[in-house]
Amino acid sequence: MKYKILKTTSFLAFVIQVGTAFAQPIDGYWQQHVDYNMEVQIDVETYRYEGTQKLVYTNNSPDALSRVYFHLYFNAFQPGSEMDMRLQSITDPDSRMINADRTSRIASLSDTEIGFLHCESLTQDGQKVSFQEEGTVLVVDLAKAIGPGEKSTFDMDFKGQVPLQIRRSGRNSAEGVALSMSQWYPKLAEYDREGWHANPYIAREFHGVWGDFDVKLTLDKNFTVGGSGYLQNPQEIGHGYEAPGTRVKKAKGKTLTWHFKAPKVHDFMWAADPDYVHDTLQVVNGPMLHFLYKNNEKIVDNWKKLQPKTAELMQFFNSNIGAYPYDQYSVIQGGDGGMEYAMSTLITGNRKFGSLVGVTAHEMAHSWFQHILATNEAKHEWMDEGFTTFISSLAMNQVMNQGKPNPFEDTYNGYYNLVASGQEQPQTTHSDRYASNFAYGISAYNKGSVFLSQLGYIIGQNELMETLRQYYRDFKFKHPVPNDIKRTAEKVSGMELDWYLTDWTQTTNTIDYGIKNVTTSDGKTKITLERIGLMPMPIDVLVVYKDGTQETFYAPLQMMRGEKENPYPQLERTVLPDWPWAFSEYVFEIDTPMENVEGILIDPSQLMADVNAQNNFYPTQTP
Ligand SMILES: [Zn+2]
């Protein structure tokens, strides 16, 4: 016998509702500000580059700073680096970073293949400062402390070498892209409400200082460049950036200087290749999309078909999270999978069409959950990877007409696998400190996505989608932390949700509710539910009668101090008394004898991540 399970297609019914609330100011919030001015010469033969950086740093913190730190990410791609050592010791190394015999690809790089980034000279407001390179971090003792509200200007000369492509950035990727230039410049570490975040580059990254970038790149004029900023001199450059139908002044000499500006971003990526095709597509009421991909007949068709889908994805995210605030977004072939950057993404391009759209959906969703809502990825990885996974699952279901009744099914199954493996660590774990890449990946992507889809089960789908929009309005261009999404959900729903944030993200407590027994007496059916797992939850119960009718019962969790709306308005719902968590059993009655009951089911939506679904059915059956 199979129960009719109520489907969760209702998600799509809740999308595209325009909120009317305004952004709320956050008491006491501050963040640092940077203005980068860089001029860089790149030798495409030796993959060496050198540049100057003028960095105006504004200290908006209440603290005087006597030190600052810069990330020198390319130093990770050297034998003996922390990234190399971690690669050699982790039980499940990233397959892209190891050779066929499982040895580290970084360990086998020669001197001309390694990456490096070195500071050659540095002054603060014209005064020399002392600095020391510690792997991927430059430690700078300031000549003079920067007081609260003060600015300092740093002038740096730097030299770099682009590593053979190992992870994310690098030269000569497997698909033949010459230059994937992410994490390529000396990048000031962020100092925020939690203090300094001078994380060494071990596996993961991304927490940057908001600011404005002005970047001039000089390189071989045959290369087409794409990336984070708006090109300021398109009529000198051409390469598909010139105004349609206009002619470009042919530059003398072997190089071109590309001048980009990227306002209000916390990172700057670029990529370049002599064989890029460059297409553009204007999104209605949205940004100009740029597509740069290799002129390779095997992929060109898919990259053409990707373009209108990218516009649809952009509109989906605009409607469901909030308007994309920049005038440009670039999808660029490069890197080694997919990675999000400011106003752009690097993705591998040699993929089946569905995978190409899927990776674009995911990386573009990161424009919201990382590049506009800039959570610290090292500390709160579930907030950007998980939320991105959540919204891109919904977007793909719509844009690719997947027709999945539950677009999150695979996401939940991944989480259940992690729990069953015994390898789960709390989501508060630093993203470099998980015991395995497997545990990191599921915790960040799957469990992070379930945080939201399950929140919809708790507060209601309308309230969930409104929570996302309000979160965007309140925290865009800021560094939100876990409490911020929780408080937003509390304000939108009127419920108390501290228990949800703490148990789900700070522990490995699991959810297991069950139907303990069903008895009958005096013409009534008595249902006893039990809480087996430590994590609290409100409970929806569906009862199916032999005459084909159905109704639901709702036991709110007492500590959430509220009730969601009926998620199944087509069915009658009975709101039962609150269930206080410490009571492991809970009894309620149905006003009909047991012989009329076909079956009983806990959480027909399957959005509550119950690790043992076996006991959610009466009579017992395999779900
Ligand atoms: Zn991601």
Side-chain angles (χ1 to χ4, degrees), residues 11 369 375 380-391 408 411-412 415-416 424 427-428 442-461 463-465 467-468 471 481-490 496-507 511 535 537 606-609:
F11 263 104
F369 300 117
T375 52
H380 316 301
E381 58 276 7
W382 57 276
M383 291 181 72
D384 68 320
E385 292 304 350
F387 294 6
T388 289
T389 301
F390 168 83
I391 201 71
F408 308 110
T411 310
Y412 279 73
Y415 165 67
Y416 297 140
E424 190 187 4
Q427 287 181 309
T428 45
I442 302 288
S443 177
Y445 291 73
N446 298 61
K447 198 181 178 191
S449 174
V450 173
F451 176 89
L452 286 183
S453 49
Q454 183 168 255
L455 181 62
Y457 168 78
I458 297 165
I459 66 176
Q461 304 304 339
E463 289 73 12
L464 169 67
M465 298 312 286
T467 293
L468 281 187
Y471 176 59
V481 295
N483 200 58
D484 295 327
I485 184 74
K486 184 215 73 165
R487 283 295 291 141
T488 305
E490 287 184 335
E496 204 172 306
L497 297 166
D498 219 35
W499 59 274
Y500 185 54
L501 184 73
T502 53
D503 275 61
W504 191 252
T505 71
Q506 299 171 20
T507 77
I511 300 160
M535 177 149 182
M537 270 289 159
Q606 300 182 331
L607 293 173
M608 182 176 85

Side-chain angles (χ1 to χ4, degrees), residues 86 89-94 203-204 381 418 421-425 429-444:
R86 175 68 168 160
S89 61
I90 198 165
T91 52
D92 58 344
D94 188 319
R204 302 182 177 97
E381 58 276 7
L418 174 62
S421 76
Q423 293 184 44
E424 190 187 4
Q425 293 172 249
T429 305
H430 186 287
S431 65
D432 280 331
R433 237 87 75 212
Y434 281 84
S436 64
N437 282 318
F438 163 72
Y440 161 79
I442 302 288
S443 177

Side-chain angles (χ1 to χ4, degrees), residues 99-158:
N99 297 302
D101 62 359
R102 291 182 66 86
T103 55
S104 158
R105 286 181 62 209
I106 296 177
S108 46
L109 291 174
S110 72
D111 282 355
T112 55
E113 293 170 336
I114 61 167
F116 63 74
L117 183 55
H118 300 310
C119 170
E120 300 282 298
S121 69
L122 180 60
T123 61
Q124 176 197 6
D125 301 321
Q127 269 185 285
K128 278 208 159 134
V129 290
S130 70
F131 55 87
Q132 190 185 332
E133 212 176 84
E134 296 180 356
T136 56
V137 175
L138 187 76
V139 181
V140 179
D141 289 310
L142 298 180
K144 183 178 148 280
I146 312 170
E150 290 178 4
K151 284 178 200 283
S152 250
T153 301
F154 295 99
D155 280 290
M156 186 193 291
D157 292 329
F158 62 90

